[in-house]
Amino acid sequence: MANIVVIGAQWGDEGKGKIVDILTTHSDVVARYQGGHNAGHTVVIGDEQFILHLVPSGILHKDKACVIGNGVVIDPKALIDELDGIEKRGISVGGRLFISDNAHLIMPYHVILDQGSERAKGSEKIGTTGRGIGPCYVDKMGRCGIRAGDLLRPGTFRAKLEKNLKAVNITLQNHYGIDPLDADAIYSDYMGHAERLAPFVTDTAGMLNAKIAGGRNILIEGAQGTLLDIDHGTYPFVTSSSPAAGGACTGLGIGPTRISGVLGIIKAYTTRVGEGPFPTELNDRTGEFLRATGGEYGATTGRPRRCGWFDAVIGRYSADINGFTGLALTKLDVLDDLDEILICTKYRVKGTEIASFPHDSAVLEAVEPVYESFPGWKESTVGATDFNALPKNARDYIKVIEDMVGVPVDMISTGQKRNEIIVRRNPFEAYKR
């Protein structure tokens, strides 16, 4: 038995969808534990591309169960649209998808508040997707949220909605000059959503713990990345949940003693979307090359990603926060044509070198990256499935990353397709209890 957490080691967009898709073969259940439809996982199977936002990537395997855990926030319409799109492509979700009754629902007012707040911040905006994720988590922590289980209890849903709208409508009118929202219209829409989603809503924590007790393998899927974690990321330029591995326990209702290992997904370079500090960002031809060659555009928003060199300071910090038992290195092939490749080994702050990650975003914004240079390999690695078949300089580059981060690289992605992968250690075998 093995219960493996898969989490991004940088600012998200590391290629978790493909790795989860591959590892699903060895699991019985794939469970998502945080975030909302602000996330996007891309999986390429043959000539088909699938972009998933709320539904775990394991849904593409027809014999696997998938869980949307209590730590996820759900826009019912977005989820229904995603399910419709999946089913139109011949993938059945009935009897395989399970939604936690404790997962909180994104309401129409959350979206309005999210977008209004971003506009009001002006140049100091966070760079959210404007989809209501943050305000939904605010209501969750404020103990006035509406949960998926409430869809099954119309009277409870109506009472919570009316209570929330009393306060929300005052804010909308006084702060944003927006007409008050109508409870009847929202109630009608959400009861329509309830009819479609009711068969999926259940006690997923109980289900998962029963599966674990029965010796089943659970693959635990995070969204975003460690540097966007509300507690450990580049605050305030972070998401509103806990993508780090510790969030898996609270986001699913699984005890920490039942986690077998943590696989960190890390790009061969670094990217981020949205605002906030990015020490190795390249605003030059090399940055443009990485973006164009790597297809660095958000799966959810289409926004161009900011690109830069690999940052070993971030890698070490992420390894500490998550307790990685292994790494999956993605997009190695994007570097194939470069003559020289740089790795940031430490930062320089006001003339002083530091090897640790500063928590103050103002300090991080001001740091100067200290680089080591490595020769490129100038050969194609696309589609490689054997580590020893990689060019020597590529193998050396991977070894340097292992040494600098302090974690072995177990998997290496060499292209978009499912079969373009090198597996040095199967996490479900290497980390099993």
Side-chain angles (χ1 to χ4, degrees), residues 26-326:
H26 307 282
S27 69
D28 299 289
V29 181
V30 183
R32 164 87 176 272
Y33 63 86
Q34 50 74 225
H37 64 307
N38 56 341
H41 291 170
T42 302
V43 179
V44 177
I45 303 174
D47 295 326
E48 288 195 87
Q49 183 183 76
F50 296 84
I51 299 178
L52 303 168
H53 301 283
L54 282 164
V55 180
S57 306
I59 203 72
L60 303 178
H61 295 252
K62 297 182 179 180
D63 59 339
K64 306 299 180 179
C66 291
V67 167
I68 298 176
N70 56 272
V72 179
V73 293
I74 299 170
D75 182 321
K77 184 180 185 306
L79 177 56
I80 290 169
D81 288 345
E82 187 170 334
L83 295 177
D84 288 346
I86 291 170
E87 292 186 324
K88 283 179 182 177
R89 298 179 72 172
I91 298 169
S92 174
V93 299
R96 296 201 299 127
L97 179 66
F98 303 88
I99 301 170
S100 171
D101 51 2
N102 284 342
H104 281 248
L105 299 179
I106 296 173
M107 305 299 292
Y109 47 83
H110 291 139
V111 178
I112 296 171
L113 292 170
D114 192 359
Q115 295 174 359
S117 175
E118 279 289 272
R119 285 194 299 272
K121 290 185 177 76
S123 62
E124 297 182 350
K125 64 181 180 180
I126 302 299
T128 77
T129 59
R131 302 191 175 195
I133 311 297
C136 185
Y137 277 113
V138 168
D139 277 4
K140 175 179 179 176
M141 295 305 175
R143 293 164 290 187
C144 61
I146 300 175
R147 303 194 290 187
D150 295 327
L151 288 174
L152 312 184
R153 299 180 288 272
T156 299
F157 180 92
R158 179 76 189 219
K160 289 186 174 182
L161 173 63
E162 290 182 348
K163 182 178 180 180
N164 287 353
L165 281 182
K166 286 181 181 178
V168 168
N169 279 335
I170 293 172
T171 299
L172 294 182
Q173 289 178 287
N174 293 345
H175 290 274
Y176 300 113
I178 296 173
D179 291 338
L181 298 179
D182 180 61
D184 289 337
I186 296 174
Y187 177 80
S188 177
D189 284 345
Y190 275 67
M191 287 302 100
H193 300 330
E195 187 175 346
R196 175 70 194 281
L197 296 178
F200 304 109
V201 178
T202 189
D203 173 14
T204 56
M207 169 193 166
L208 287 170
N209 281 294
K211 295 284 188 184
I212 292 170
R216 302 294 188 181
N217 288 340
I218 312 297
L219 181 58
I220 301 167
E221 177 186 74
Q224 288 95 29
T226 302
L227 272 295
L228 291 177
D229 188 275
I230 187 69
D231 288 300
H232 304 291
T234 50
Y235 192 89
F237 303 99
V238 292
T239 193
S240 301
S241 59
S242 298
C249 297
T250 54
L252 291 174
I254 294 175
T257 56
R258 294 184 167 183
I259 303 298
S260 309
V262 182
L263 181 70
I265 316 302
I266 199 162
K267 241 174 217 173
Y269 48 100
T270 311
T271 63
R272 86 169 293 177
V273 172
E275 308 300 320
F278 183 178
T280 67
E281 183 172 11
L282 296 170
N283 295 305
D284 58 12
R285 292 177 62 184
T286 302
E288 289 294 336
F289 169 83
L290 293 174
R291 184 178 301 110
T293 307
E296 296 297 352
Y297 297 89
T300 297
T301 63
R303 288 185 293 181
R305 296 173 186 144
R306 301 156 64 190
C307 297
W309 294 118
F310 186 88
D311 189 331
V313 180
I314 286 174
R316 289 190 295 270
Y317 174 72
S318 190
D320 286 343
I321 294 298
N322 292 291
F324 292 141
T325 42

